[in-house]
Structures are given as C-alpha cells and as structure tokens.
Amino acid sequence: MSDCLFCKIIAGEIPSTRVYEDELVFAFRDINPMAPTHVLVVPKAHAASLAEADALDDRTLAACLRACGKVAAQEGLTGGFRVVSNCGSDACQSVPHLHFHVLGGKKMSEGMA
Ligand code: DGP
C-alpha cells in the first residue's frame, strides 16, 4: 500500500534498522523501544492487522511467527521473550500494518493488559 508507513519501511523508502529479512518477512528495531530488545516483525505483504489475516496466505503468517523466534535467537534472548500484536483501537494499534512486537532482555511484568 503506497500510503502505509511499514510498507515504506519494507521498501526502504523510510530508513530503519533491519534485524532480519527473508522472502516474506521484514524485521526492524522499534523507534520507541519498550524493552532492551524491541523488534517489529512484519509481513512484506500488506494486511492491516490479525483481523485481516485472511488477506495473507498461510505461508506468510507462519513465516512471521518463525521469524519472531529467529529474531529472539539472533538477539540472544536466552531468558525468554514476549510477542505482542496489537489489533485495533482497543489494543492501541497505531500502525495499520500487521506487526509482531518481539520484546526481551529484561524480566517482563506478569500483567498482559
Ligand atoms: P502498535 O502501537 O502496536 O501499532 O506499534 C507500532 C510501533 O511502531 C510502535 O511501537 C512504534 C513503532 N513505529 C512507529 N513509527 C515507526 C518508524 O517510523 N520506525 C520504526 N522503526 N518504528 C516505528
């Protein structure tokens, strides 16, 4: 999508710090990190959120989840990590391109919401 921020990052039109990339997935450091490691894993194909998961093929969705684990391993998150995907306004999603936050490098709070 031409007016999508993360599509522009994937295309290299907006700079980012790339952490991982394969045929289907792009991962880069969050501009506003909430943990020592905070990486965004996004499908290269556009879908607004998990609410539109049917817009993506299963290979792409699986590649996103696999990439989360690969990023965590690459970042040395041996103590564990958290994956979050905000979906819609109640979840405070601010960028309408599906993304998975990979957070780690510290002890997380037990609260999820
Ligand atoms: P969410 O609130 O779940 O939609 O998360 C969107 C995240 O995207 C938020 O943590 C900040 C990050 N973000 C927004 N704009 C940019 C940007 O231009 N570059 C990078 N690297 N991250 C961005």
Side-chain angles (χ1 to χ4, degrees):
M1 271 198 12
S2 56
D3 61 344
C4 169
L5 173 65
F6 286 176
C7 286
K8 287 180 179 166
I9 286 177
I10 293 161
E13 293 166 15
I14 292 174
S16 69
T17 305
R18 185 178 59 179
V19 171
Y20 172 83
E21 182 173 12
D22 63 29
E23 176 198 356
L24 300 170
V25 173
F26 192 80
F28 54 100
R29 297 202 188 281
D30 195 291
I31 204 168
N32 182 25
M34 300 290 185
T37 293
H38 187 168
V39 174
L40 300 173
V41 171
V42 309
K44 288 184 174 176
H46 183 87
S49 74
L50 283 174
E52 293 186 4
D54 282 348
L56 300 172
D57 59 31
D58 290 352
R59 232 178 116 235
T60 297
L61 286 168
C64 287
L65 296 180
R66 286 201 186 88
C68 290
K70 288 177 188 170
V71 164
Q74 194 177 300
E75 293 289 308
L77 302 179
T78 53
F81 60 97
R82 179 169 286 168
V83 176
V84 174
S85 188
N86 295 320
C87 183
S89 58
D90 278 2
C92 301
Q93 182 182 8
S94 60
V95 179
H97 180 124
L98 174 62
H99 52 282
F100 298 88
H101 297 258
V102 178
L103 300 147
K106 69 170 189 178
K107 180 73 178 170
M108 304 282 168
S109 64
E110 287 189 10
M112 294 279 277

